[in-house]
Amino acid sequence: MKTMDFLTNSMLYLLFCVCLWVIYQIRGMAQVAAVPVNLVWRFIRMIIPLPLRNLLNRLTHWLLFERHCLYQIIYILVVLGGHCILFSQIIPVLYRYSDRENHLFLVLALLFCNGFCYTMVCMTDPGVISPRNFPVYSQIYAFDRVIYSPKECVTCPHIIPARARHCSRCDHCVFRFEHHCVWTNCCIGGENYSHFLLFIASSLAMVVNSLRLEIRMLCDYTKHERLWSAQYLGEDGEAHDMSWPALIQHLFMSFPLVVAMVAVLCIIGLFLGGYTAFHAWLVCTNQTSYEYSRNPKRPTQMTTNKTNGKIFGDGGHFINPSHSTHPYDRGIWSNLCEIFGFSVRDSLRELRRRLPVQMDFKTR
């Protein structure tokens, strides 16, 4: 067998693109080897005309800093394309070698769950703060006086409540702001964070299940075709026993899309698994990604008082003044109840009875 020139050239091209991206990112950093980086960057600027550079800058700004549905379309196309490969090349081979098992049920179930959670994330209000529901959201959490302090939003006509932030892409303040997700084209806040957690968990399960089916298909094909007992003709013209590089090369030539999909899903699974574990830890400690990045690791300064067995502070509750690192951490079970809406929903209903009837807000 000859060397897979296609894979080699593809890897070299990918490495070249990564190097260009790294050079672009560190071109202004003085602590890195600035002289060779600047020389390379000047060379790139010489070969790329100014109108094209301006176009690339505008395109980069649109892709990274403006709200659009391009990433939603990409996500849907990737999911549908991956399942088309699954249904056309993997499932038939699995049924050929093990026709007594149901290989479709789990695939369709995970696809339905992922699509349902994705739709719920996109369609659910993340907790947009308006003048009508501001009196409600402002009493949910207390200011910790470290990360969150009373300050007026420069865009919205109100003071930003504790654990809320203004999203520059959506141009509104969001209750318990987590981040703006480009794949869902919406903010992730207190009202849709539970759907987002189920979405990334179902995405991880879908990736793991697809990877399991693909590896099993390749193993069944290798076993039934007795590839380990076969020999291949090397570059020296002599017959050699089957080896791992030769087997992978043969499988790639026989099922190029499947082998490429295995490699891609391994990378996606690692990143998605780490991302899911990170959010699971945030849920257990009742943090947001913004709070994690801004946590100064120093004690908070809050004035609290107890009313009817609940802890209040600065007009809000759901706060633990004895916890200096994570002031909103109330224990794993209470955090789960809060994230998935039970505690917040009950508190919103309680506040609804206290506030005037004309106040408009949702209790899910």
Side-chain angles (χ1 to χ4, degrees):
M1 293 183 181
K2 295 183 178 181
T3 307
M4 291 181 291
D5 295 332
F6 173 76
L7 284 180
T8 304
N9 295 333
S10 300
M11 294 300 296
L12 290 177
Y13 176 74
L14 181 61
L15 181 62
F16 175 74
C17 294
V18 171
C19 292
L20 288 181
W21 180 80
V22 171
I23 291 173
Y24 179 80
Q25 293 296 324
I26 66 176
R27 67 188 189 280
M29 298 173 59
Q31 62 270 26
V32 190
V35 175
V37 170
N38 289 334
L39 290 178
V40 175
W41 180 245
R42 289 179 182 177
F43 175 74
I44 295 176
R45 293 182 62 181
M46 290 175 57
I47 62 177
I48 300 179
L50 180 61
L52 182 58
R53 293 204 307 269
N54 294 334
L55 178 62
L56 292 177
N57 289 333
R58 289 195 297 268
L59 180 62
T60 303
H61 185 273
W62 180 77
L63 288 174
L64 300 180
F65 303 106
E66 295 184 13
R67 187 180 182 185
H68 50 79
C69 61
L70 177 62
Y71 293 105
Q72 285 181 294
I73 298 175
I74 292 176
Y75 174 77
I76 295 174
L77 291 179
V78 167
V79 172
L80 293 180
H83 280 80
C84 287
I85 298 175
L86 201 65
F87 293 143
S88 62
Q89 298 193 22
I90 299 174
I91 299 296
V93 178
L94 289 175
Y95 274 111
R96 184 195 311 168
Y97 297 130
S98 55
D99 56 351
R100 295 184 179 181
E101 299 183 26
N102 189 348
H103 303 287
L104 283 174
F105 175 76
L106 189 57
V107 174
L108 295 177
L110 290 176
L111 180 61
F112 173 79
C113 293
N114 183 260
F116 177 77
C117 295
Y118 183 78
T119 304
M120 291 298 296
V121 174
C122 297
M123 301 298 294
T124 303
D125 179 15
V128 177
I129 300 175
S130 64
R132 296 176 64 87
N133 59 24
F134 171 77
V136 177
Y137 286 125
S138 62
Q139 298 190 48
I140 299 298
Y141 296 107
F143 293 100
D144 61 352
R145 305 292 181 177
V146 178
I147 299 178
Y148 300 105
S149 299
K151 63 178 180 179
E152 187 174 356
C153 181
V154 296
T155 304
C156 304
H158 57 71
I159 296 177
I160 303 178
R163 307 196 78 182
R165 282 197 68 200
H166 184 87
C167 178
S168 58
R169 294 192 180 187
C170 300
D171 197 24
H172 51 230
C173 293
V174 178
F175 164 69
R176 200 186 184 279
F177 181 81
E178 168 62 35
H179 66 281
H180 182 94
C181 181
V182 296
W183 302 107
T184 59
N185 195 26
C186 67
C187 292
I188 307 300
E191 297 290 341
N192 65 348
Y193 186 46
S194 58
H195 303 310
F196 177 76
L197 293 174
L198 296 176
F199 164 65
I200 60 176
S202 61
S203 299
L204 179 61
M206 191 168 57
V207 169
V208 172
N209 182 64
S210 300
L211 188 60
R212 177 186 67 86
L213 292 177
E214 292 168 3
I215 294 177
R216 180 178 177 181
M217 184 273 272
L218 295 176
C219 292
D220 290 348
Y221 175 80
T222 303
K223 177 181 178 181
H224 286 81
E225 297 297 329
R226 299 180 179 180
L227 295 181
W228 281 114
S229 302
Q231 292 183 333
Y232 68 95
L233 190 63
E235 295 181 355
D236 54 0
E238 297 182 0
H240 299 274
D241 294 333
M242 184 63 67
S243 60
W244 277 107
L247 178 63
I248 295 175
Q249 181 176 345
H250 176 76
L251 292 176
F252 179 78
M253 294 301 179
S254 302
F255 306 98
L257 291 179
V258 177
V259 176
M261 192 173 175
V262 169
V264 172
L265 287 182
C266 287
I267 299 175
I268 294 177
L270 289 176
F271 282 99
L272 192 57
Y275 189 68
T276 305
F278 173 68
H279 274 279
W281 178 75
L282 291 180
V283 170
C284 293
T285 56
N286 202 341
Q287 295 185 87
T288 63
S289 56
Y290 172 75
E291 294 167 358
Y292 171 76
S293 62
R294 294 291 302 274
N295 194 343
K297 306 296 183 183
R298 63 175 182 265
T300 58
Q301 299 175 358
M302 297 170 293
T303 58
T304 62
N305 61 296
K306 292 186 177 181
T307 304
N308 296 329
K310 293 185 178 181
I311 299 178
F312 288 80
D314 295 338
H317 55 287
F318 293 154
I319 199 163
N320 186 2
S322 63
H323 204 305
S324 60
T325 305
H326 310 308
Y328 301 102
D329 184 7
R330 302 187 300 140
I332 295 179
W333 176 250
S334 299
N335 294 337
L336 289 174
C337 293
E338 178 182 335
I339 295 301
F340 286 91
F342 301 109
S343 299
V344 173
R345 180 179 58 194
D346 295 339
S347 299
L348 289 175
R349 289 175 176 173
E350 180 181 352
L351 290 172
R352 186 176 185 178
R353 291 193 296 267
R354 300 180 184 179
L355 295 174
V357 180
Q358 62 270 21
M359 292 299 177
D360 180 24
F361 58 91
K362 297 181 179 180
T363 58
R364 289 199 286 181

